[in-house]
Amino acid sequence: MADGDQKQTFGFQAEVKQLLHLMIHSLYSNKEIFLRELTSNASDALDKLRFESIGDASLLGDDPDLAITLSVDKDAGTVTITDNGIGMSRDEVTENLGTIARSGTAEFVSQLSGDAKADSQLIGQFGVGFYASFIVADEVIVETRRAGLSASDAVRWTSAGEGEYSLEAIEREARGTSITLKLKEDEKEFLERFRLTSLIKKYSDHIGFPVQMLGEGDEAELETLNSATALWTRSRGDVSDDEYQEFYKHLTHDFSEPLAWSHNKVEGKREYTSLVYLPSKAPFDLWNREAPRGLKLYVQRVFIMDDAEQFLPLYLRFVRGVIDSADLPLNVSRELLQSHPSLDAMRSALTKRVLGMLKRMASDEPEKYQSFWDEFGEVIKEGLAEDFANRDALMNLLRFATTHESAVQNQSLAAYAERMIDGQEKVYYLTAESLAAAKSSPHLEVFKKRGIEVLLLTDRLDEWMIGHLTEFDGKALQDIRREGLELPGDDDEQSSDASASEDDDALTSLVEKLKAQLGERVSDVRRSDRLVESPACLVVPEHDLGVQMRRMLEAAGQEVPDNKSVLEVNPGHALVQRLAAESDDAAFEDLALVILGQAEIAQGALPEDPGAYVSRLNRLLVNLADQ
Ligand code: ADP
Ligand code: MG
């Protein structure tokens, strides 16, 4: 025998060890999912073989009937799941059952807290897969032979799930894989055939291959447990909600129920069936650009590939499901798919279908839609920049916080538009770091006074998104922190009392003095029409970058033009009046810079010189105390 034939022991990748440990504890209350995971792997292995045999029929040999078989050995206390699928070579076993290749795993493991309940949610999203075996087994033995390799190239993998596994070469007559679980002492319930049968019916009925149970005793008959027709090939009316939900879990490994799904057969020029799901929770790697995404692609019921991302735009990357095409070629590769003439039409039809589902949910089940929006709203916003063709549909899906007093904090643009006051022609919005910061912004004062609603945008992408939006239903969107703010009815609001011109003179000289004092720190100083309670605020010149965009670009290390804001002062405010009356130069400087600093703080920024700002403020407070 060659050296490699001896039994050798290896350590698991560190993250596998950690994950195994946490999984066994946090998934205990869901322990029967091991069976779903193992049958799902077996079905994947059959799918892969069927796919490879398109190019090389000899892989099927004299064993063309693909199936999954369960057997129980009560004396030994074992359950075995066997498939005659693709199998694994020795290298594949090491790669697949010793490491977790998915990117972001380390980060994911570091998020686990050790709190069983919280972790089980996360682990559910991550997908436990094969390792779920160790929830119920002391020891797991995998025997496998890759299709196309010879009987002596088979391998046995054994592990107690505690940090190491061993590998040895074996002889195996048939291609495929069998996985044997030595059940833990208190998991013997899984030796009961009735229990196994009902679990298969519950979890795996929709699998497109027969799942059989090997009979007891010598007669050893095979009983088929499932209906063995791929779920999406059945007609909608024949599939129950439960079945749709189970299929979703099989497909995604998600523990939570899907939020919604849509199952459709398209006939005519292009024929295909699609079954798409909206998850109820965002996956942990939603923002990882490399994370797998896309639909599972079948051609004429033959599995072709996982994660076919070509069928949906990037901003719908959270959609899961299956597409089964009747007219794509069986040998379609990712590259071929990309340039296939049917692709654009299918992609645009699927995109419309998903947006239609969301539209319906938003109108018929607003609470459900809200929970969707909370999870995926930020991703939908990307669509406004990405998908011009569906802009109107996307705009109607947006939800915002607003200043409307009775509004739940999530309003559509249409609801805003309905509440616009007489003469209002624009949709007003304010961006800020947080909702609290937005609500206390001095820029809102005049809007509150006049009863005009303002959208409060606090997601980091909002300003960028608004840049792509520009108008809703013919109404321009207006950043209320910008210059040139026009409010409805501005013309007839001119005050005309007798002292106005005297006040104007005093104000003009204050403005000039402030400009001289503040110099380069502001681009201009002006009288404000938007302030009621605050002495001053900063306003962004009309064509400059917005505050949020500026911050985002700076954070990304990009060079940003050094534009200055305009300081607007409220002539009606006592501090401004005091400033106008101040004759001492040093005191004027202190007060002027404190007012500017306050305006900077209200905008969520630090004054340019925080230490100096604090000293000036303290001098003013001490003076105040002395008076
Ligand atoms: P996933 O199914 O999400 O890839 P699993 O942990 O369930 O993750 O399985 C890990 C890998 O092990 C699979 O991707 C597959 O390559 C391999 N594998 C597991 N079970 C089988 C099997 N019965 N036949 C062939 N390969 C298998
Ligand atoms: Mg799996």
Side-chain angles (χ1 to χ4, degrees), residues 36-38 40-41 44 128-130 253:
R36 179 180 83 203
E37 295 299 326
L38 295 181
S40 143
N41 284 349
D44 290 348
V128 285
F130 169 77
H253 307 281

Side-chain angles (χ1 to χ4, degrees), residues 149-448:
L149 296 184
S150 65
S152 58
D153 289 325
V155 55
R156 176 186 292 134
W157 178 102
T158 316
S159 175
E162 278 170 349
E164 49 189 39
Y165 63 93
S166 63
L167 281 183
E168 65 191 300
I170 54 163
E171 288 272 331
R172 194 176 196 276
E173 281 315 311
R175 67 153 194 268
T177 305
S178 62
I179 296 180
T180 299
L181 311 186
K182 282 201 176 146
L183 294 173
K184 292 179 181 170
E185 204 46 55
D186 42 7
E187 307 300 344
K188 295 286 155 86
E189 63 185 281
F190 297 110
L191 293 174
E192 300 303 330
R193 313 172 91 75
F194 174 74
R195 178 95 166 100
L196 291 176
T197 307
S198 60
L199 285 175
I200 292 289
K201 291 212 158 98
K202 174 168 172 211
Y203 286 136
S204 309
D205 192 53
H206 51 76
I207 284 185
F209 301 97
V211 182
Q212 308 167 327
M213 173 80 88
L214 191 65
E216 266 170 311
D218 296 336
E219 75 275 27
E221 272 176 33
L222 282 171
E223 180 199 354
T224 297
L225 307 178
N226 64 335
S227 48
T229 36
L231 179 126
W232 66 89
T233 62
R234 293 159 58 189
S235 69
R236 235 179 349 215
D238 290 346
V239 186
S240 70
D241 284 0
D242 271 358
E243 288 176 307
Y244 278 121
Q245 286 167 350
E246 279 311 327
F247 184 69
Y248 168 79
K249 291 178 179 173
H250 158 80
L251 199 68
T252 62
H253 307 281
D254 192 347
F255 277 37
S256 327
E257 305 295 331
L259 205 58
W261 58 85
S262 169
H263 181 192
N264 296 279
K265 270 196 179 63
V266 175
E267 272 155 3
K269 199 158 146 234
R270 284 174 207 87
E271 280 190 32
Y272 62 91
T273 299
S274 63
L275 170 53
V276 292
Y277 289 93
L278 302 176
S280 53
K281 289 265 174 288
F284 73 97
D285 50 7
L286 182 64
W287 296 100
N288 174 359
R289 296 241 144 194
E290 258 86 81
R293 61 190 174 85
L295 304 178
K296 202 163 173 160
L297 172 64
Y298 288 76
V299 171
Q300 296 162 37
R301 325 247 157 115
V302 176
F303 165 77
I304 305 294
M305 66 178 88
D306 280 309
D307 311 323
E309 74 261 20
Q310 295 82 350
F311 292 99
L312 286 166
L314 185 60
Y315 75 90
L316 295 180
R317 59 183 171 274
F318 50 83
V319 174
R320 310 297 299 270
V322 170
I323 180 147
D324 189 346
S325 156
D327 32 40
L328 288 170
L330 275 166
N331 66 351
V332 69
S333 63
R334 280 181 202 273
E335 293 68 43
L336 269 176
L337 188 57
Q338 195 61 52
S339 58
H340 195 275
S342 294
L343 185 74
D344 281 351
M346 287 171 81
R347 181 182 159 110
S348 104
L350 275 169
T351 303
K352 291 214 157 55
R353 183 156 326 277
V354 172
L355 296 179
M357 249 165 111
L358 289 170
K359 181 182 175 184
R360 234 172 301 124
M361 192 193 293
S363 70
D364 301 350
E365 299 170 285
E367 278 175 25
K368 202 172 189 185
Y369 183 73
Q370 188 56 49
S371 79
F372 165 81
W373 182 256
D374 292 343
E375 289 291 314
F376 299 108
E378 281 198 68
V379 195
I380 289 289
K381 288 176 186 175
E382 290 177 11
L384 286 153
E386 231 182 277
D387 188 356
F388 198 75
N390 290 303
R391 237 168 73 121
D392 286 349
L394 283 163
M395 254 193 263
N396 282 302
L397 293 176
L398 296 173
R399 293 292 179 273
F400 299 107
T402 87
T403 52
H404 184 60
E405 81 293 342
S406 70
V408 249
Q409 282 310 338
N410 286 283
Q411 294 295 307
S412 65
L413 288 168
Y416 176 98
E418 257 172 43
R419 288 191 292 262
M420 284 173 49
I421 65 166
D422 276 354
Q424 184 180 346
E425 279 162 10
K426 291 180 174 174
V427 173
Y428 297 102
Y429 70 90
L430 169 71
T431 59
E433 295 289 283
S434 67
L435 198 56
K439 283 183 172 163
S440 63
S441 168
H443 291 272
L444 288 177
E445 289 168 4
V446 71
F447 291 87
K448 281 183 197 151

Side-chain angles (χ1 to χ4, degrees), residues 420 425-429 470-478:
M420 284 173 49
E425 279 162 10
K426 291 180 174 174
V427 173
Y428 297 102
Y429 70 90
T470 63
E471 62 154 58
F472 171 75
D473 204 13
K475 299 163 190 78
L477 281 105
Q478 163 85 51

